[in-house]
Amino acid sequence: MIQRFDGHIVGLGTASGTRVVVGLWDRSPYGRFADAMVERPDGHRVLLAPDERVADLVSTTYTFDDVQIVAVSLVGWGIDAGPLSARWTPGTRAPIGWLLQAVPTPLAHREAWARFCDPIARRVMPGVRTHGSAGRGRTEWYAASDAWSVESATVAWDGEDLGPLAPVDPPVRFGFGSAPRTPTLTRVTSFIRDH
């Protein structure tokens, strides 16, 4: 069985060292939802999920030190999720976005293409992966179809401003890959295949 998730992922770094990856899923087996994965400067990894089903899916796919089920609301290009408040402004299409648009969708969605692209992605964007383990013997792959730079962002945790936008550095350690080092909004389709 293959589960498919269509939407956007945004990766943000902050001057305080906190890094945030937000999934905005327009279509999925769980309906429309958003979630946030946060790695604090000390390496503590937190999942903020809107319900038990999403929390179970994401926490069995990636690794966290803390899983919280919280109210999640979207505000334009932004999210409020428990202790996290994040707003971002997409900028111009990233150079990689032009390349991604050139790949025909049927090819981009194939697992073999994701495997082929994985070593290229790692070299061009250190930390980024397109194919890997989703835990419990499952496989996950990403088919990105466009990407934009993030022009600016404000991120707060428990009401404390985490400082200006910064690179996603060091890479986040939730799963087999990280978000791009440069804060980026990516249109993506994610696939999870059970073996």
Side-chain angles (χ1 to χ4, degrees):
M1 181 181 84
I2 296 176
Q3 297 183 82
R4 174 176 169 164
F5 301 79
D6 293 292
H8 293 81
I9 295 175
V10 65
L12 308 170
T14 67
S16 71
T18 294
R19 284 93 68 217
V20 177
V21 178
V22 176
L24 307 164
W25 302 108
D26 299 319
R27 290 187 303 275
S28 85
Y30 302 84
R32 188 175 187 195
F33 74 92
D35 65 316
M37 299 180 283
V38 179
E39 186 164 353
R40 303 287 286 158
D42 62 2
H44 190 78
R45 295 162 297 182
V46 182
L47 168 64
L48 303 170
D51 59 43
E52 291 278 0
R53 290 185 321 148
V54 171
D56 183 59
L57 169 76
V58 180
S59 66
T60 57
T61 304
Y62 306 107
T63 303
F64 301 95
D65 304 299
D66 184 19
V67 176
Q68 298 180 26
I69 297 171
V70 297
V72 175
S73 59
L74 299 178
V75 185
W77 284 116
I79 189 171
D80 290 323
L84 175 70
S85 176
R87 306 285 185 271
W88 57 89
T89 303
T92 58
R93 178 167 282 118
I96 192 73
W98 296 103
L99 293 173
L100 293 171
Q101 285 191 315
V103 179
T105 300
L107 175 62
H109 286 185
R110 296 185 60 171
E111 183 180 1
W113 178 253
R115 268 198 310 268
F116 171 79
C117 291
D118 190 61
I120 300 167
R122 281 188 278 174
R123 182 169 299 226
V124 174
M125 296 177 291
V128 172
R129 302 281 309 274
T130 59
H131 188 273
S133 170
R136 295 188 179 179
R138 298 171 301 163
T139 299
E140 182 176 22
W141 67 95
Y142 293 104
S145 57
D146 210 339
W148 299 265
S149 63
V150 174
E151 192 173 275
S152 62
T154 56
V155 182
W157 186 265
D158 279 335
E160 178 187 347
D161 188 293
L162 299 180
L165 186 65
V168 181
D169 186 42
V172 292
R173 303 170 302 116
F174 308 120
F176 64 84
S178 178
R181 183 178 188 277
T182 301
T184 303
L185 173 68
T186 305
R187 181 181 296 140
V188 67
T189 301
S190 172
F191 299 90
I192 297 176
R193 176 169 49 80
D194 290 314
H195 291 282

